[in-house]
Amino acid sequence: MAAADAAQQGPRGHRRRGGGGGATRVRPRAWCCSFGGAPDSPDLRPLPSSAASPAPAAAAAGTGAGRKLPPKSPSSAAASFYGSPTSSRLAGLGGLIDPRRILSPGRVSPIDPDAGAFPPPPLQLPLPPPPVPPASSVEDSAVLHPVEQPAAVLLASAALPSATVAPAPPPVVAVRAEADAAGGVLDLRLFLRGRDGRCVLMELDSRVLCGCSDFFAAMAPREDAAAGAGAGGKRIEVDGVENLDAFRAAVELMYDPHPVRCLAAAGVSRAIDVLEVCSSIMFNKGIKSCLTYIEAVPWNENEEEKLKNLFARFTFDEAISQDILARLRPHNWNSSDDLTVQLIQSVTSSTSTAARKDMQSLVNGLLSKSSVYQKDSSGLNKESLYQICYSCLESLVDLFEEAREPTDYTGQAVAVRGSKPLIERVSRQAENLNWLLEILVNNDIAEEFVELWAKQDMLIRMHEQASAMVRYELSRISAGVFIALGKGKVQCRGDVRSLLFRGWFSTMLLDFGWLQRCPKGLDLRSLEENLGRGLLTLPLRQQQCLFEEWFQFYATKGAECPNLIRAFQVWWRRSFIRSLVEPQS
């Protein structure tokens, strides 16, 4: 008994004897982590003295060694938890922490709270794998009845082994083989094998299949051969199918009472594929249904190219395909040039500013060299384009003559005839001529326009008499010509360039300030640079006259005059510095 008490005290515990009958009182003890062994857990309390005496008998009667724990109750577990050293800190977590997990500060017992209540479930063994289907199984199957009783039954599916796929068979290869009958009117099995290894097995009525397709009528087994098999079965195998889904859809179309509805649900691209299959198996009713649906719906560009390739490889009856051919091969226009000129004429005659800009962008996209719509490399009709230019110039001359007429308004720029002011009509014609010049430059046929503009003596004379709000539109046209000339996009003769600068250089100096205030998309920096480059292409004597005129005007107007200082320096170096050096050498 003394030994048991000593074991319960631990290394630092001791007894304090009190009075009153010599009863022994155990003082609460503290402990720390040491090598002396772990103290008893609150769950492993020693047995009371009353139960200590029968322990040897119980141990002798037990099946194994060790101390047997008494049954626990919820009240005892709660008491054990609140009696632990950390109960004051974890009191608020009462129901969240298992009291058996807390031994003491620094020690956590790995006790599963449910270990004693429920035994671990037995480990389930994996189920055996399903049996491997035979190699002759198919991916898809459809059972079709005649038109009176339409139905579809899908069977099991699986992919054929890759080893059984023949390399690159012909597009359609038919092999006849007899098989057992399916019973009833479904007396034929159609086995389709695609190039990708997939297969489709279809149970069909041979009368409908052979009646719709001459191809299957020639491949179907004879009645006497099928009866000789003992079960009256027929079987057709088709190998090397390019588009298995389209082939199946074409066969199903034979049993569909509303084929056009079926094609509409599939879409245009699938209908084109079905049309190709129907042509291959000589299914005339299917061909007519596909053409009827395809002609009645819009196509995108990919579907249009697909149709063109199909019509290039197959020949269809003209009576049923003429509507589609009319959409694919128009015969109204021999070339797009005439139509393009008509579009340009419509743009130049338009009175709506917003609509004219939209149409100009559209035509520019059609005429662009990188456009996907440009198919004809012969170019535009040059004579027709210049006829439009002549028309715009005549309209411009008429407008300036109108501006010279006396009016009762405060200025000539606001003279109105009809619904549009004069300045707006002049601006529209100037914009048309600039746009036409851009088209001519892009097609390398703008040399005649430069000569045409250089010879406009009447417009040059009317420029001096017109209001500045109107006349600067003429300088806008001259700016486009000077830029094209300075960039080298137009190669004109020397006399044409001299005539151009003699007539329109002075007007440019006068109107440059107005161009700065109303550029309307004009790049003034490019105008200054290319105006100087174009001026340097003239003879040196003419350059001197024009630079002297510019120098005097620049000294007076300053910023309202184009900056040609760099071109002036080049001319000075060419005219004087080199001329002094060359005689000495």
Side-chain angles (χ1 to χ4, degrees):
M1 192 66 181
D5 293 338
Q8 293 181 4
Q9 289 179 3
R12 305 180 72 174
H14 63 276
R15 291 178 180 271
R16 185 180 65 182
R17 298 183 182 275
T24 301
R25 184 178 181 182
V26 180
R27 182 179 179 181
R29 52 203 173 97
W31 66 281
C32 66
C33 299
S34 64
F35 295 97
D40 296 334
S41 171
D43 295 334
L44 300 178
R45 294 184 297 275
L47 296 176
S49 57
S50 58
S53 54
T63 58
R67 191 168 46 176
K68 185 177 182 181
L69 293 176
K72 291 182 61 178
S73 62
S75 59
S76 63
S80 173
F81 169 70
Y82 288 105
S84 64
T86 59
S87 61
S88 60
R89 292 188 295 105
L90 302 177
L93 305 176
L96 301 178
I97 300 179
D98 193 344
R100 290 181 294 168
R101 289 184 178 273
I102 302 175
L103 293 178
S104 61
R107 285 183 176 269
V108 179
S109 174
I111 300 178
D112 189 356
D114 301 329
F118 302 100
L123 184 62
Q124 297 183 357
L125 296 177
L127 297 177
V132 180
S136 62
S137 61
V138 293
E139 175 195 6
D140 245 353
S141 179
V143 179
L144 300 178
H145 298 269
V147 176
E148 293 78 4
Q149 298 177 355
V153 180
L154 298 180
L155 304 180
S157 62
L160 288 179
S162 58
T164 61
V165 180
V172 177
V173 178
V175 179
R176 292 192 298 174
E178 299 178 0
D180 295 337
V185 296
L186 305 179
D187 57 347
L188 184 142
R189 289 187 177 184
L190 178 61
F191 188 79
L192 306 176
R193 181 180 292 108
R195 290 188 176 183
D196 55 356
R198 297 186 303 140
C199 298
V200 173
L201 176 62
M202 307 180 73
E203 297 183 359
L204 307 169
D205 185 358
S206 61
R207 295 174 300 173
V208 177
L209 182 67
C210 299
C212 293
S213 172
D214 296 339
F215 172 80
F216 288 114
M219 299 306 301
R222 298 187 302 272
E223 294 292 340
D224 52 355
K234 301 177 183 178
R235 181 182 177 92
I236 297 178
E237 293 187 3
V238 181
D239 293 340
V241 179
E242 180 70 25
N243 193 335
L244 191 63
D245 297 330
F247 203 108
R248 173 182 172 179
V251 174
E252 292 176 348
L253 208 64
M254 302 178 185
Y255 299 86
D256 198 312
H258 305 287
V260 178
R261 293 182 184 177
C262 180
L263 294 172
V268 179
S269 181
R270 175 54 62 86
I272 297 174
D273 296 335
V274 174
L275 175 61
E276 182 177 359
V277 175
C278 292
S279 302
S280 302
I281 64 177
M282 293 174 283
F283 177 25
N284 296 328
K285 182 181 177 181
I287 294 175
K288 184 176 180 181
S289 300
C290 293
L291 292 176
T292 301
Y293 166 71
I294 293 173
E295 191 277 331
V297 295
W299 318 321
N300 56 33
E301 294 184 0
N302 294 333
E303 293 165 351
E304 181 180 355
E305 293 297 329
K306 200 172 181 180
L307 272 175
K308 289 181 179 179
N309 295 333
L310 180 62
F311 274 79
R313 291 183 288 112
F314 291 90
T315 302
F316 300 97
D317 187 6
E318 186 177 357
I320 60 177
S321 62
Q322 58 182 356
D323 294 335
I324 294 183
L325 290 175
R327 292 175 60 178
L328 291 175
R329 305 168 186 172
H331 301 285
N332 296 331
W333 300 97
N334 295 328
S335 174
S336 62
D337 296 341
D338 298 335
L339 180 59
T340 304
V341 172
Q342 289 189 8
L343 294 177
I344 296 174
Q345 178 67 43
S346 301
V347 173
T348 55
S349 60
S350 174
T351 57
S352 175
T353 304
R356 187 170 64 254
K357 290 183 178 180
D358 293 340
M359 290 189 293
Q360 284 178 355
S361 300
L362 174 61
V363 175
N364 289 337
L366 297 177
L367 298 179
S368 176
K369 294 181 180 179
S370 61
S371 174
V372 296
Y373 303 102
Q374 184 69 21
K375 304 298 183 181
D376 189 3
S377 60
S378 60
L380 295 174
N381 191 336
K382 180 179 178 180
E383 296 180 359
S384 300
L385 282 178
Y386 274 100
Q387 287 295 332
I388 301 176
C389 294
Y390 293 144
S391 176
C392 292
L393 283 174
E394 292 176 358
S395 300
L396 195 60
V397 171
D398 294 340
L399 290 174
F400 271 85
E401 288 181 350
E402 179 184 338
R404 295 171 56 185
E405 297 178 358
T407 58
D408 298 334
Y409 297 95
T410 57
Q412 297 173 348
V414 294
V416 178
R417 283 186 180 180
S419 59
K420 299 292 183 180
L422 176 64
I423 186 173
E424 183 176 347
R425 287 179 284 159
V426 172
S427 177
R428 178 164 59 88
Q429 294 300 333
E431 183 180 351
N432 288 337
L433 286 171
N434 273 324
W435 181 55
L436 290 171
L437 174 61
E438 180 183 352
I439 295 176
L440 295 173
V441 169
N442 292 336
N443 289 271
D444 300 327
I445 52 176
E447 287 76 15
E448 293 186 15
F449 185 91
V450 177
E451 184 176 358
L452 179 64
W453 184 248
K455 295 179 179 180
Q456 295 297 316
D457 298 332
M458 185 177 294
L459 282 177
I460 294 174
R461 290 194 303 268
M462 288 188 294
H463 179 276
E464 300 174 358
Q465 304 172 2
S467 171
M469 297 178 62
V470 178
R471 72 186 186 191
Y472 89 99
E473 295 290 349
L474 298 179
S475 295
R476 187 185 305 280
I477 303 174
S478 301
V481 176
F482 288 139
I483 291 175
L485 194 63
K487 289 184 176 180
K489 294 183 177 180
V490 180
Q491 296 81 34
C492 297
R493 303 188 310 270
D495 58 339
V496 175
R497 295 196 304 270
S498 300
L499 184 62
L500 176 68
F501 277 91
R502 189 182 303 117
W504 293 106
F505 183 75
S506 299
T507 60
M508 177 62 66
L509 298 180
L510 290 174
D511 298 333
F512 191 80
W514 279 91
L515 293 176
Q516 286 179 324
R517 286 186 287 270
C518 303
K520 295 183 180 180
L522 177 63
D523 189 352
L524 297 176
R525 186 67 60 86
S526 177
L527 172 59
E528 293 175 338
E529 182 179 356
N530 291 288
L531 180 60
R533 289 180 179 178
L535 199 153
L536 292 174
T537 62
L538 303 176
L540 290 177
R541 184 176 297 276
Q542 186 178 1
Q543 291 184 33
Q544 181 176 351
C545 296
L546 296 177
F547 275 118
E548 287 178 359
E549 180 183 359
W550 166 82
F551 196 88
Q552 294 176 1
F553 198 91
Y554 189 77
T556 304
K557 298 296 183 178
E560 293 188 359
C561 181
N563 189 348
L564 304 179
I565 294 179
R566 295 183 60 184
F568 181 83
Q569 293 173 347
V570 173
W571 164 77
W572 184 273
R573 185 175 64 252
R574 292 176 179 176
S575 300
F576 301 105
I577 299 179
R578 290 184 179 179
S579 62
L580 294 176
V581 173
E582 289 175 356
Q584 296 178 1
S585 61

